[in-house]
mmCIF file of all heavy atoms in Angstrom:
data_model
loop_
_atom_site.group_PDB
_atom_site.id
_atom_site.type_symbol
_atom_site.label_atom_id
_atom_site.label_comp_id
_atom_site.label_asym_id
_atom_site.label_seq_id
_atom_site.Cartn_x
_atom_site.Cartn_y
_atom_site.Cartn_z
ATOM 1 N N ILE A 74 -56.526 12.440 -65.975
ATOM 2 C CA ILE A 74 -57.292 11.403 -66.671
ATOM 3 C C ILE A 74 -57.713 11.934 -68.034
ATOM 4 O O ILE A 74 -58.156 13.081 -68.159
ATOM 5 C CB ILE A 74 -58.528 10.982 -65.849
ATOM 6 C CG1 ILE A 74 -58.095 10.388 -64.498
ATOM 7 C CG2 ILE A 74 -59.370 9.974 -66.616
ATOM 8 C CD1 ILE A 74 -59.247 9.983 -63.592
ATOM 9 N N ALA A 75 -57.590 11.090 -69.043
ATOM 10 C CA ALA A 75 -58.024 11.456 -70.396
ATOM 11 C C ALA A 75 -58.918 10.361 -70.961
ATOM 12 O O ALA A 75 -58.752 9.179 -70.654
ATOM 13 C CB ALA A 75 -56.825 11.675 -71.312
ATOM 14 N N VAL A 76 -59.849 10.771 -71.788
ATOM 15 C CA VAL A 76 -60.757 9.852 -72.479
ATOM 16 C C VAL A 76 -60.424 9.888 -73.961
ATOM 17 O O VAL A 76 -60.252 10.968 -74.551
ATOM 18 C CB VAL A 76 -62.231 10.249 -72.249
ATOM 19 C CG1 VAL A 76 -63.170 9.327 -73.025
ATOM 20 C CG2 VAL A 76 -62.556 10.222 -70.760
ATOM 21 N N LEU A 77 -60.347 8.725 -74.571
ATOM 22 C CA LEU A 77 -60.051 8.633 -75.995
ATOM 23 C C LEU A 77 -61.242 8.029 -76.714
ATOM 24 O O LEU A 77 -61.621 6.890 -76.456
ATOM 25 C CB LEU A 77 -58.790 7.792 -76.226
ATOM 26 C CG LEU A 77 -57.526 8.401 -75.604
ATOM 27 C CD1 LEU A 77 -57.255 7.801 -74.219
ATOM 28 C CD2 LEU A 77 -56.320 8.199 -76.489
ATOM 29 N N GLY A 78 -61.847 8.825 -77.594
ATOM 30 C CA GLY A 78 -63.039 8.400 -78.317
ATOM 31 C C GLY A 78 -64.029 9.538 -78.389
ATOM 32 O O GLY A 78 -64.076 10.386 -77.495
ATOM 33 N N GLY A 79 -64.830 9.570 -79.455
ATOM 34 C CA GLY A 79 -65.780 10.666 -79.630
ATOM 35 C C GLY A 79 -67.231 10.236 -79.700
ATOM 36 O O GLY A 79 -68.093 11.046 -80.019
ATOM 37 N N GLY A 80 -67.502 8.958 -79.381
ATOM 38 C CA GLY A 80 -68.854 8.433 -79.481
ATOM 39 C C GLY A 80 -69.697 8.668 -78.248
ATOM 40 O O GLY A 80 -69.323 9.432 -77.342
ATOM 41 N N SER A 81 -70.822 7.976 -78.180
ATOM 42 C CA SER A 81 -71.769 8.208 -77.091
ATOM 43 C C SER A 81 -71.206 7.765 -75.742
ATOM 44 O O SER A 81 -71.383 8.464 -74.730
ATOM 45 C CB SER A 81 -73.096 7.486 -77.374
ATOM 46 O OG SER A 81 -72.894 6.103 -77.549
ATOM 47 N N TRP A 82 -70.518 6.627 -75.696
ATOM 48 C CA TRP A 82 -69.999 6.149 -74.420
ATOM 49 C C TRP A 82 -68.840 7.023 -73.950
ATOM 50 O O TRP A 82 -68.732 7.342 -72.765
ATOM 51 C CB TRP A 82 -69.589 4.691 -74.543
ATOM 52 C CG TRP A 82 -69.292 3.975 -73.266
ATOM 53 C CD1 TRP A 82 -68.282 3.091 -73.069
ATOM 54 C CD2 TRP A 82 -69.991 4.051 -72.007
ATOM 55 N NE1 TRP A 82 -68.304 2.614 -71.769
ATOM 56 C CE2 TRP A 82 -69.336 3.186 -71.100
ATOM 57 C CE3 TRP A 82 -71.095 4.769 -71.560
ATOM 58 C CZ2 TRP A 82 -69.760 3.024 -69.777
ATOM 59 C CZ3 TRP A 82 -71.518 4.607 -70.233
ATOM 60 C CH2 TRP A 82 -70.853 3.756 -69.369
ATOM 61 N N ALA A 83 -67.980 7.450 -74.864
ATOM 62 C CA ALA A 83 -66.909 8.380 -74.500
ATOM 63 C C ALA A 83 -67.494 9.676 -73.955
ATOM 64 O O ALA A 83 -67.019 10.219 -72.945
ATOM 65 C CB ALA A 83 -66.028 8.670 -75.714
ATOM 66 N N THR A 84 -68.530 10.170 -74.613
ATOM 67 C CA THR A 84 -69.181 11.419 -74.183
ATOM 68 C C THR A 84 -69.782 11.259 -72.794
ATOM 69 O O THR A 84 -69.679 12.146 -71.937
ATOM 70 C CB THR A 84 -70.264 11.830 -75.195
ATOM 71 O OG1 THR A 84 -69.671 11.924 -76.496
ATOM 72 C CG2 THR A 84 -70.899 13.160 -74.833
ATOM 73 N N ALA A 85 -70.408 10.107 -72.542
ATOM 74 C CA ALA A 85 -70.996 9.845 -71.223
ATOM 75 C C ALA A 85 -69.918 9.777 -70.147
ATOM 76 O O ALA A 85 -70.109 10.290 -69.028
ATOM 77 C CB ALA A 85 -71.796 8.541 -71.264
ATOM 78 N N ILE A 86 -68.790 9.163 -70.463
ATOM 79 C CA ILE A 86 -67.701 9.058 -69.483
ATOM 80 C C ILE A 86 -67.132 10.434 -69.156
ATOM 81 O O ILE A 86 -66.860 10.744 -67.988
ATOM 82 C CB ILE A 86 -66.603 8.107 -70.000
ATOM 83 C CG1 ILE A 86 -67.133 6.666 -70.023
ATOM 84 C CG2 ILE A 86 -65.343 8.198 -69.133
ATOM 85 C CD1 ILE A 86 -66.222 5.685 -70.711
ATOM 86 N N VAL A 87 -66.963 11.275 -70.168
ATOM 87 C CA VAL A 87 -66.483 12.640 -69.914
ATOM 88 C C VAL A 87 -67.478 13.391 -69.032
ATOM 89 O O VAL A 87 -67.080 14.125 -68.119
ATOM 90 C CB VAL A 87 -66.239 13.395 -71.235
ATOM 91 C CG1 VAL A 87 -65.885 14.857 -70.957
ATOM 92 C CG2 VAL A 87 -65.116 12.738 -72.035
ATOM 93 N N LYS A 88 -68.753 13.186 -69.270
ATOM 94 C CA LYS A 88 -69.773 13.822 -68.421
ATOM 95 C C LYS A 88 -69.623 13.369 -66.971
ATOM 96 O O LYS A 88 -69.660 14.192 -66.043
ATOM 97 C CB LYS A 88 -71.176 13.501 -68.924
ATOM 98 C CG LYS A 88 -72.293 13.996 -67.985
ATOM 99 C CD LYS A 88 -73.676 13.705 -68.519
ATOM 100 C CE LYS A 88 -74.759 13.922 -67.457
ATOM 101 N NZ LYS A 88 -74.762 15.284 -66.886
ATOM 102 N N MET A 89 -69.430 12.063 -66.760
ATOM 103 C CA MET A 89 -69.267 11.539 -65.398
ATOM 104 C C MET A 89 -68.031 12.138 -64.734
ATOM 105 O O MET A 89 -68.075 12.565 -63.574
ATOM 106 C CB MET A 89 -69.157 10.011 -65.438
ATOM 107 C CG MET A 89 -70.432 9.276 -65.792
ATOM 108 S SD MET A 89 -70.211 7.468 -65.681
ATOM 109 C CE MET A 89 -70.264 7.002 -67.408
ATOM 110 N N LEU A 90 -66.923 12.154 -65.464
ATOM 111 C CA LEU A 90 -65.688 12.701 -64.905
ATOM 112 C C LEU A 90 -65.814 14.187 -64.597
ATOM 113 O O LEU A 90 -65.210 14.691 -63.639
ATOM 114 C CB LEU A 90 -64.530 12.476 -65.885
ATOM 115 C CG LEU A 90 -64.108 11.026 -66.147
ATOM 116 C CD1 LEU A 90 -63.087 10.961 -67.269
ATOM 117 C CD2 LEU A 90 -63.549 10.381 -64.876
ATOM 118 N N SER A 91 -66.611 14.887 -65.395
ATOM 119 C CA SER A 91 -66.794 16.333 -65.204
ATOM 120 C C SER A 91 -67.442 16.668 -63.871
ATOM 121 O O SER A 91 -67.318 17.789 -63.376
ATOM 122 C CB SER A 91 -67.645 16.913 -66.339
ATOM 123 O OG SER A 91 -66.987 16.785 -67.580
ATOM 124 N N GLU A 92 -68.124 15.697 -63.287
ATOM 125 C CA GLU A 92 -68.749 15.917 -61.975
ATOM 126 C C GLU A 92 -67.709 16.059 -60.874
ATOM 127 O O GLU A 92 -67.982 16.640 -59.822
ATOM 128 C CB GLU A 92 -69.689 14.750 -61.638
ATOM 129 C CG GLU A 92 -70.808 14.510 -62.627
ATOM 130 C CD GLU A 92 -71.936 15.526 -62.507
ATOM 131 O OE1 GLU A 92 -71.915 16.334 -61.550
ATOM 132 O OE2 GLU A 92 -72.839 15.503 -63.374
ATOM 133 N N ASN A 93 -66.489 15.509 -61.114
ATOM 134 C CA ASN A 93 -65.486 15.437 -60.054
ATOM 135 C C ASN A 93 -64.155 16.099 -60.367
ATOM 136 O O ASN A 93 -63.446 16.520 -59.449
ATOM 137 C CB ASN A 93 -65.210 13.963 -59.715
ATOM 138 C CG ASN A 93 -66.431 13.245 -59.189
ATOM 139 O OD1 ASN A 93 -67.077 13.712 -58.260
ATOM 140 N ND2 ASN A 93 -66.770 12.116 -59.799
ATOM 141 N N LEU A 94 -63.791 16.176 -61.643
ATOM 142 C CA LEU A 94 -62.451 16.646 -62.000
ATOM 143 C C LEU A 94 -62.457 18.071 -62.535
ATOM 144 O O LEU A 94 -63.424 18.510 -63.150
ATOM 145 C CB LEU A 94 -61.837 15.714 -63.056
ATOM 146 C CG LEU A 94 -61.777 14.222 -62.734
ATOM 147 C CD1 LEU A 94 -61.026 13.473 -63.822
ATOM 148 C CD2 LEU A 94 -61.150 13.962 -61.380
ATOM 149 N N ASP A 95 -61.349 18.760 -62.314
ATOM 150 C CA ASP A 95 -61.195 20.126 -62.813
ATOM 151 C C ASP A 95 -60.715 20.147 -64.262
ATOM 152 O O ASP A 95 -60.900 21.143 -64.957
ATOM 153 C CB ASP A 95 -60.201 20.904 -61.934
ATOM 154 C CG ASP A 95 -60.715 21.064 -60.515
ATOM 155 O OD1 ASP A 95 -61.938 21.208 -60.346
ATOM 156 O OD2 ASP A 95 -59.890 21.026 -59.586
ATOM 157 N N GLU A 96 -60.075 19.039 -64.698
ATOM 158 C CA GLU A 96 -59.575 18.981 -66.063
ATOM 159 C C GLU A 96 -59.643 17.543 -66.576
ATOM 160 O O GLU A 96 -59.249 16.605 -65.883
ATOM 161 C CB GLU A 96 -58.133 19.490 -66.144
ATOM 162 C CG GLU A 96 -57.575 19.496 -67.566
ATOM 163 C CD GLU A 96 -56.154 20.016 -67.640
ATOM 164 O OE1 GLU A 96 -55.997 21.239 -67.757
ATOM 165 O OE2 GLU A 96 -55.209 19.201 -67.557
ATOM 166 N N ILE A 97 -60.155 17.384 -67.792
ATOM 167 C CA ILE A 97 -60.226 16.077 -68.447
ATOM 168 C C ILE A 97 -59.657 16.208 -69.849
ATOM 169 O O ILE A 97 -60.087 17.070 -70.610
ATOM 170 C CB ILE A 97 -61.679 15.548 -68.539
ATOM 171 C CG1 ILE A 97 -62.337 15.514 -67.158
ATOM 172 C CG2 ILE A 97 -61.714 14.166 -69.191
ATOM 173 C CD1 ILE A 97 -63.454 16.492 -66.995
#
């Protein structure tokens, strides 16, 4: 899974994914 974007919502989504994934 990859996130595209550098704003606040993108940052929040990466944080959420970081709880479960080994690589984003």
Side-chain angles (χ1 to χ4, degrees):
I74 298 178
V76 177
L77 297 95
S81 58
W82 192 220
T84 305
I86 291 171
V87 174
K88 173 178 168 57
M89 289 184 250
L90 294 172
S91 296
E92 301 284 352
N93 298 308
L94 306 185
D95 296 325
E96 182 179 273
I97 305 112

